[in-house]
Amino acid sequence: MGARTDLVTDPAVRADLLLARRGTSFWARELSRVPDAGLDEPSGLPGWSRRALVAHVGYNARAIGRLVEWATTGVETPMYASPQARNEEIEIGATLPPHALRHLSEHAAISLDVQWRDAPPTAWSAPVRTAQGRTVPLSATPWMRIREVWLHAVDLRTGATLAQLPGELADRLLADVVATWDRKGVGAGLALVDTDSGARYATAGPLTREVAAPRTALLGWATGRADLPGEEPAPAWL
């Protein structure tokens, strides 16, 4: 029997699955650089230890897997029972022994990848609901995972930087940040300008503020991971 491959035929979804898998490898590589004792140290996210971050990324894979189950079976399976349940899950997961925490990260990612691989083409247009309450097709879930693994790999503080993200991913993240601000009704009239490429990302409304910087610096500021001299913090993203 030959190797099993993705059943989805949409080239855009296939491309996102590839990017999610590359991001998973990037995350796994950076996590492997954290010694067990280093899991107790702070991550790059304020108030989050590396332990909590690893638990979050692991449980995020399981949560997205529930959306795949929802789309493939038609039985509603939310990502989390509630925001409180999500937070409690991370808190408990962060107390796991190092080997169990690493096992969670690795095997949750493998399980999600298998679910994606086996999802039939018809499932990818099925509506599911994100933890933020948005209804999206299953085809949006690889992008949800892409954001998690690539950015949180940098948040592990092992030396990885936003400059290591693929250029097309950085561009999509900037566009995603601005689109999210629009949905949340924040940052009206704000435009981001990537001085490396000249690309411009603007929220709705008359222009009131323009933030221009090289792509990596702009992405760090927009996602709340870096400051820009002379600029106030960016509106909250996720």
Side-chain angles (χ1 to χ4, degrees):
M1 181 180 295
R4 297 167 69 182
T5 59
D6 296 319
L7 299 179
V8 64
T9 55
D10 185 328
V13 176
R14 283 180 170 269
D16 273 359
L17 287 172
L18 175 59
L19 190 56
R21 288 162 181 155
R22 288 174 60 194
T24 297
S25 296
F26 184 54
W27 161 264
R29 184 190 73 186
E30 297 311 311
L31 178 56
S32 72
R33 293 176 173 172
V34 179
D36 286 351
L39 290 169
D40 296 316
E41 296 177 2
S43 75
L45 296 180
W48 284 62
S49 67
R50 283 170 168 161
R51 283 181 161 278
L53 185 61
V54 175
H56 164 62
V57 172
Y59 287 128
N60 171 264
R62 289 188 177 176
I64 293 176
R66 288 191 279 272
L67 297 186
V68 183
E69 181 181 350
W70 181 348
T72 55
T73 66
V75 178
E76 182 173 338
T77 315
M79 292 184 71
Y80 306 99
S82 67
Q84 180 181 356
R86 170 187 175 274
N87 293 338
E88 290 175 350
E89 184 176 57
I90 294 171
E91 289 176 6
I92 294 172
T95 67
L96 291 170
H99 72 277
L101 196 56
R102 295 179 192 276
H103 184 278
L104 166 66
S105 175
E106 179 182 0
H107 286 268
I110 291 171
S111 178
L112 173 59
D113 194 52
V114 170
Q115 287 179 281
W116 273 334
R117 184 197 65 197
D118 292 344
T122 54
W124 291 96
S125 59
V128 294
R129 190 171 58 254
T130 70
Q132 291 75 36
R134 294 179 58 226
T135 298
V136 299
L138 182 66
S139 58
T141 59
W143 174 245
M144 292 163 59
R145 187 62 177 169
I146 287 166
R147 295 182 309 197
E148 294 288 332
V149 289
W150 283 100
L151 288 174
H152 287 326
V154 175
D155 294 332
L156 282 172
R157 294 174 54 249
T158 52
T161 69
L162 292 174
Q164 292 175 259
L165 273 58
E168 67 273 15
L169 172 56
D171 293 340
R172 284 182 66 183
L173 284 168
L174 285 168
D176 187 84
V177 168
V178 171
T180 302
W181 288 342
D182 266 336
R183 284 197 302 270
K184 294 170 68 174
V186 299
L190 173 59
L192 307 183
V193 180
D194 172 5
T195 57
D196 288 330
S197 67
R200 183 184 182 87
Y201 311 87
T203 57
L207 179 65
T208 59
R209 181 183 177 196
E210 184 174 278
V211 177
R215 181 168 56 195
T216 297
L218 191 63
L219 180 60
W221 178 83
T223 61
R225 286 168 169 79
D227 295 327
L228 277 179
E231 295 291 347
E232 299 176 359
W237 174 38
L238 295 177

